[in-house]
Amino acid sequence: MLLKPGKPPDSPDLYRPISLLPTLSKMFEKLICKRLLSTLAKLNIIPDHQIGFCAKHATIEQVHCATTTIRNALEAKEFCLAVFLDVSQAFDRVWIDGLLHKISEYLPIQHVKLLQSYLSDRTFQVQYGEATSITCTISAGVPQGSVLGLLLYTLYTADIPQKKGTTLATFAQLSYQQIRTIVLQINDSRRQWTR
């Protein structure tokens, strides 16, 4: 667990859990992510309002979108209501069965079964100094600190309903280009390692 930046260390809820994946799992995630990104790009699954997977876009793009929408409404003498949400512990709250149901609508069954196997029967322990907790089952959430976890969270939230006349803007922490760069780096490392 890592302390969230700029927070006092005296409260357990101010720590961010991380997944320490074995090297084989990391390679598996990168390969699956590469395959999924290729399939998702062909199917145009990642919504336009999710700019986190667009190259050369950042949070500031969503700020610009919001301010433009507000300015246009004010100039047209219309009402403009804004709702901003920051989902607390978002990755930890993903309902795995719901995620698998959603992706089964557009991904090949082999991908769904592979992800189901990967996300099922996961466990965790907390280690602090010399002490280690009991092993507990993970009943919800996608792995944090992993490329695949970010992509799965984005797919889980990709179907947020949008009403005509509203503007929806979402943002994931890593961009598509960053994920692609990571995948390419892993491939280069794998090639060097297997020589």
Side-chain angles (χ1 to χ4, degrees), residues 13-193:
D13 63 334
L14 297 177
Y15 286 82
R16 178 175 294 153
I18 58 167
S19 297
L20 298 176
L21 300 174
T23 303
L24 190 58
S25 293
K26 289 179 185 179
M27 289 177 63
F28 169 78
E29 278 204 2
K30 304 298 191 259
L31 293 171
I32 293 302
C33 192
K34 183 178 179 181
R35 175 76 51 98
L36 287 174
L37 286 172
S38 171
T39 303
L40 294 169
K42 290 176 190 169
L43 298 172
N44 197 26
I45 297 299
I46 297 176
D48 293 336
H49 60 77
Q50 173 52 270
I51 67 163
F53 280 91
C54 297
K56 299 179 182 176
H57 285 74
T59 310
I60 194 68
E61 301 295 329
Q62 295 299 37
V63 173
H64 183 269
C65 177
T67 55
T68 300
T69 301
I70 293 167
R71 186 186 71 235
N72 291 343
L74 291 174
E75 287 174 359
K77 299 189 185 315
E78 298 174 341
F79 288 101
C80 183
L81 175 67
V83 177
F84 299 91
L85 300 175
D86 181 5
V87 181
S88 176
Q89 300 174 333
F91 283 61
D92 296 334
R93 298 179 188 275
V94 173
W95 176 40
I96 299 300
D97 290 340
L99 170 65
L100 293 170
H101 174 74
K102 287 179 179 191
I103 65 175
S104 70
E105 299 291 319
Y106 47 81
L107 287 178
I109 190 68
Q110 300 90 338
H111 288 71
V112 177
K113 287 186 181 262
L114 187 63
L115 290 170
Q116 179 180 20
S117 171
Y118 190 64
L119 295 171
S120 299
D121 302 320
R122 294 180 300 140
T123 60
F124 75 96
Q125 281 185 313
V126 176
Q127 188 173 12
Y128 184 75
E130 299 293 320
T132 303
S133 72
I134 61 170
T135 301
C136 300
T137 301
I138 299 173
S139 58
V142 294
Q144 290 193 43
S146 70
V147 174
L148 190 56
L150 175 66
L151 180 58
L152 292 174
Y153 180 78
T154 299
L155 294 175
Y156 185 68
T157 59
D159 63 349
I160 296 174
Q162 189 171 359
K163 187 175 178 183
K164 185 177 179 178
T166 62
T167 302
L168 180 62
T170 58
F171 186 79
Q173 292 174 339
L174 290 177
S175 70
Y176 173 85
Q177 190 61 39
Q178 289 170 311
I179 291 174
R180 183 171 168 74
T181 301
I182 291 168
V183 170
L184 292 173
Q185 288 171 347
I186 290 297
N187 285 341
D188 290 342
S189 298
R190 182 180 47 87
R191 278 190 218 101
Q192 291 175 359
W193 185 61

